[in-house]
Each structure stands twice: as structure tokens, then as C-alpha cells.
């Protein structure tokens, strides 16, 4: 049961990472990803180390999005 909850939560997080909601800015996407990661950690679904990895991944994607906007793509 625990593994199912973890798998579902991480799947939802990765989906949001890859496909933000329509009209969601990079900052809004990052905030949503952070909230999702915080909730998973608070519920004990992920560890502190896993939380840190998720936040690093979210930060990297948001940085790429910003670079793309600044580069005119």
C-alpha cells in the first residue's frame, strides 16, 4: 500500500514537472511542484533526501524554462 501511494504521488509530480497546466508560468509550476514535494514529505511518502532530489529537478527545469524565455525560444 505504501509503495502504491509513493508511486502514484511521484507519478503525479513527474507529470506536473513535464506538463504544467495551461497558462502556468515557470514560477507557478515551481511553486506547485514544491507544494507537492512538501506534502509528500510531510505525509511520509518520501524521505528528506528524495525531497531534495525533487526540488533540484524542479529547479533545473525552471532554470531551463527561464533561459529559453530569455533566449527568445
Amino acid at each position: 500500500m505504501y509503495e502504491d501511494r509513493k508511486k502514484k504521488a511521484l507519478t503525479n509530480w513527474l507529470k506536473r514537472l513535464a506538463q504544467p497546466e495551461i497558462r502556468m508560468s515557470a514560477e507557478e509550476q515551481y511553486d506547485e511542484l514544491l507544494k507537492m514535494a512538501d506534502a509528500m514529505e510531510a505525509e511520509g511518502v518520501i524521505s528528506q533526501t528524495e525531497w531534495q532530489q525533487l526540488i533540484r529537478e524542479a529547479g533545473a527545469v525552471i532554470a531551463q524554462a527561464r533561459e529559453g524565455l530569455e533566449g527568445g525560444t
Side-chain angles (χ1 to χ4, degrees):
M1 177 129 175
Y2 167 79
E3 287 300 318
D4 291 339
R5 280 184 44 207
K6 183 175 183 172
K7 183 178 180 179
K8 183 178 179 180
L10 288 173
T11 298
N12 289 336
W13 191 92
L14 290 168
K15 182 179 177 183
R16 178 59 49 91
L17 179 69
Q19 299 173 347
E21 291 181 12
I22 296 173
R23 297 191 176 117
M24 181 179 267
S25 71
E27 290 79 16
E28 290 168 331
Q29 180 187 15
Y30 180 80
D31 288 344
E32 184 65 23
L33 290 167
L34 182 60
K35 287 177 193 175
M36 292 172 77
D38 287 346
M40 286 188 282
E41 184 190 20
E43 294 170 11
V45 175
I46 61 171
S47 68
Q48 175 69 28
T49 302
E50 291 168 316
W51 177 89
Q52 290 171 342
Q53 181 61 38
L54 292 178
I55 300 309
R56 278 193 294 271
E57 289 178 33
V61 168
I62 299 311
Q64 288 176 347
R66 286 183 178 162
E67 287 174 16
L69 290 174
E70 291 171 1
T73 58

